[in-house]
């Protein structure tokens, strides 16, 4: 299951008798050059390249499907060594003001195959958890997506399949490789972990040294509403979750984001908007409002545009927190987490039996 190189940070690479300076050359090829073929690493002796090719794999996965949408959001389906499928989504965005515009690439990364949390609206959790991803499978998504994109990736969001905080033993070493200037060199401030609210893990994460960003999937202002769609709320109710967020903010001196998907008739009434705004004020948090992205086979819907705007207006009234309404890109390619995999499994009985 392990990818022999990527599952260990390069300081810990151990390829038998291969000397340190050769390991540095290897690191340079893989992380700086994005070269994933032994025979192209031309400054290594042929005998070493042959030896490496016989004994070691660089990546623990391969691309089996890529889908692009009209707005050029791109979705990748990766097949892991044991046949499991995971996905990553590449989302371009043009940012900038006063005529200075820059295009930035955001990659949405998976951390598990499936998910044990079982939020009722989510495609990733439908089949439960198959397994955690290894460090190499997490880093591999970024390396391979960067090659597909043919450019650097500016932002990473851990909002693909799985609950990142339920896989910290593999995730934290992956973050080390992703953040290190000797690895992928992505700045901590450009990396966001999203969690369904595992309160004790949020507190644990507060001691991770790098200044990564944290987003909380709140999706309900009170226990009754949140519990309708997020069974995890029974274990970690809203108040306990908010307390954990406060501990994180206090330790990190860092603003967090509250994510709130809007589902018709479930959490879109104005009372919830008031509660959401009050939680955001308490935490001095930003809010991302995301109209629900329909999942095949599930009965949830996004509210009308009228209701979405009424909800937004309510959140913004009074002493307004910073709130963004995200009409997401990639709607037409099933960009919400777990959906491409779901389709692949439904379309292809062979893929489904591999699960
Ligand atoms: N497990 C983590 C991260 C992955 S999910 C978490 O739950 O935060 C990333 C985000 O996508 C979460 O906010 C999740 O609630 C949201 N999401 C899942 N399915 C969705 C859908 N069908 N439409 C819109 N957002 C969805
Ligand atoms: Fe898991 Fe996140 Fe989906 Fe909930 S929303 S089932 S935690 S991936």
């Amino acid at each position: 299951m392990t990818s022999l190189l990527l599952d260990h940070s390069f300081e810990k690479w151990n390829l038998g008798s291969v000397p340190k300076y050769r390991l540095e050359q290897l690191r340079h090829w893989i992380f700086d050059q994005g070269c994933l073929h032994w025979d192209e690493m031309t400054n290594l002796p042929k005998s070493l390249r042959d030896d490496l090719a016989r004994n070691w794999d660089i990546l623990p996965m391969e691309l089996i499907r890529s889908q692009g949408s009209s707005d050029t959001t791109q979705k990748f389906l990766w097949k892991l060594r044991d046949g499991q499928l995971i996905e990553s989504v590449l989302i371009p965005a043009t940012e900038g003001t006063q005529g200075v515009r820059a295009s930035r690439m955001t990659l949405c990364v998976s951390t598990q195959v499936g998910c044990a949390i079982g939020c009722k609206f989510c495609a990733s959790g439908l089949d439960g958890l198959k397994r955690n991803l290894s460090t190499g499978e997490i880093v591999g998504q970024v390396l391979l997506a960067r090659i597909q994109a043919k450019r650097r990736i500016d932002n990473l969001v851990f909002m693909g399949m799985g609950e990142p905080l339920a896989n910290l033993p593999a995730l934290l070493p992956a973050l080390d490789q992703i953040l290190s200037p000797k690895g992928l060199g992505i700045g901590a401030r450009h990396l966001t972990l999203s969690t369904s609210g595992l309160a004790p893990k949020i507190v644990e994460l507060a001691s991770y040294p790098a200044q990564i960003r944290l987003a909380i999937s709140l999706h309900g202002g009170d226990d009754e509403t949140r519990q309708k769609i997020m069974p995890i709320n029974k274990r970690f109710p809203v108040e306990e979750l908010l307390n954990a967020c406060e501990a994180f903010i206090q330790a990190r001196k860092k603003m967090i984001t509250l994510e709130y998907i809007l589902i018709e008739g479930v959490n879109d009434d104005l009372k919830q908007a008031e509660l959401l705004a009050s939680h955001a004020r308490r935490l001095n948090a930003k809010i991302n409002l995301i109209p629900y992205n329909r999942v095949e086979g599930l009965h949830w819907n996004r509210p009308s545009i009228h209701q979405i705007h009424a909800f937004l207006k309510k959140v913004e009234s009074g002493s307004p927190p910073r709130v963004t309404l995200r009409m997401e890109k990639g709607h037409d390619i099933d960009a919400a987490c777990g959906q491409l995999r779901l389709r692949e499994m439904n379309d292809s009985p062979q893929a489904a039996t591999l699960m």
Side-chain angles (χ1 to χ4, degrees):
M1 198 81 73
T2 51
S3 158
L4 296 169
L5 289 181
L6 294 184
D7 270 324
H8 307 280
S9 68
F10 23 80
E11 290 86 359
K12 293 191 191 134
W13 283 358
N14 181 359
L15 303 185
S17 57
V18 178
K20 260 215 143 76
Y21 78 97
R22 290 283 182 217
L23 294 180
E24 169 54 25
Q25 286 174 321
L26 270 174
R27 186 208 63 74
H28 173 75
W29 279 111
I30 295 171
F31 285 100
D32 302 343
Q33 299 290 330
C35 170
L36 302 174
H37 301 286
W38 300 119
D39 53 349
E40 290 170 10
M41 299 181 180
T42 45
N43 59 355
L44 301 181
K46 173 97 172 65
S47 59
L48 175 59
R49 279 185 270 156
D50 290 346
D51 194 41
L52 288 169
R54 261 195 310 276
N55 295 302
W56 307 92
D57 259 352
I58 298 177
L59 281 184
M61 62 225 274
E62 58 177 320
L63 179 67
I64 61 162
R65 192 191 277 200
S66 126
Q67 239 177 294
S69 79
S70 50
D71 57 8
T72 70
T73 295
Q74 242 189 314
K75 188 147 193 167
F76 305 114
L77 193 67
W78 315 110
K79 188 164 154 195
L80 310 179
R81 288 223 194 99
D82 58 353
Q84 302 282 4
L85 303 175
I86 55 163
E87 55 194 56
S88 320
V89 187
L90 195 57
I91 309 152
T94 307
E95 293 175 357
T97 48
Q98 296 170 343
V100 185
R101 299 189 73 75
S103 137
R104 300 185 71 78
M105 259 320 160
T106 297
L107 184 72
C108 179
V109 181
S110 294
T111 51
Q112 298 182 308
V113 184
C115 183
I117 305 292
C119 303
K120 295 191 180 153
F121 50 81
C122 174
S124 295
L126 287 179
D127 260 353
L129 175 71
K130 300 292 173 196
R131 67 171 174 84
N132 281 327
L133 294 188
S134 70
T135 297
E137 288 162 341
I138 298 170
V139 179
Q141 292 170 64
V142 191
L143 253 177
L144 282 173
R146 188 178 70 173
I147 292 170
Q148 293 293 322
K150 299 191 184 68
R151 53 159 289 171
R152 69 169 275 121
I153 289 170
D154 306 290
N155 299 306
L156 288 187
V157 291
F158 286 79
M159 296 185 181
M161 200 188 310
E163 167 52 52
L165 299 200
N167 187 16
L168 286 179
L171 178 63
L172 295 183
L175 296 186
D176 293 343
Q177 290 202 44
I178 288 168
L179 299 173
S180 165
K182 289 193 141 209
L184 288 160
I186 295 176
R189 284 174 302 108
H190 297 281
L191 192 151
T192 304
L193 295 189
S194 173
T195 177
S196 58
L198 307 188
K201 300 284 176 190
I202 293 173
V203 177
E204 193 181 323
L205 191 68
S207 55
Y208 183 70
Q211 284 284 11
I212 52 177
R213 292 179 187 275
L214 184 65
I216 308 291
S217 295
L218 193 62
H219 309 339
D222 52 32
D223 288 331
E224 196 193 332
T225 307
R226 198 164 185 261
Q227 224 135 280
K228 282 195 271 186
I229 44 176
M230 298 184 74
I232 189 74
N233 195 77
K234 275 222 163 71
R235 269 173 73 200
F236 307 114
V238 172
E239 187 56 31
E240 191 174 337
L241 174 56
L242 296 177
N243 286 338
C245 292
E246 276 178 336
F248 181 90
I249 295 162
Q250 210 159 39
R252 308 309 300 263
K253 309 279 174 263
K254 189 114 191 110
M255 218 178 191
I256 65 166
T257 302
L258 299 179
E259 294 168 276
Y260 197 96
I261 57 174
L262 284 163
I263 307 180
E264 186 181 48
V266 174
N267 64 358
D268 61 342
D269 59 285
L270 301 186
K271 167 88 188 338
Q272 294 301 313
E274 274 174 23
L275 284 171
L276 172 61
S278 106
H279 297 326
R281 277 193 291 271
R282 166 174 162 187
L283 300 176
N284 189 27
K286 290 183 272 187
I287 297 175
N288 271 346
L289 283 183
I290 309 144
Y292 181 63
N293 203 1
R294 263 194 72 85
V295 175
E296 219 173 279
L298 298 183
H299 61 279
W300 316 98
N301 287 308
R302 61 170 55 183
S304 67
I305 206 73
H306 172 79
Q307 186 60 23
I308 291 172
H309 281 287
F311 193 96
L312 173 66
K313 215 169 140 200
K314 193 71 179 174
V315 175
E316 283 176 330
S317 64
S319 148
R322 275 172 56 188
V323 46
T324 314
L325 174 63
R326 291 207 189 283
M327 301 301 285
E328 85 289 23
K329 295 186 172 207
H331 199 91
D332 50 335
I333 56 154
D334 311 320
C337 69
Q339 294 198 47
L340 185 66
R341 170 174 172 267
L342 190 68
R343 176 151 307 168
E344 179 75 15
M345 285 162 66
N346 289 341
D347 286 356
S348 142
Q350 196 195 357
T353 56
L354 288 170
M355 304 310 294

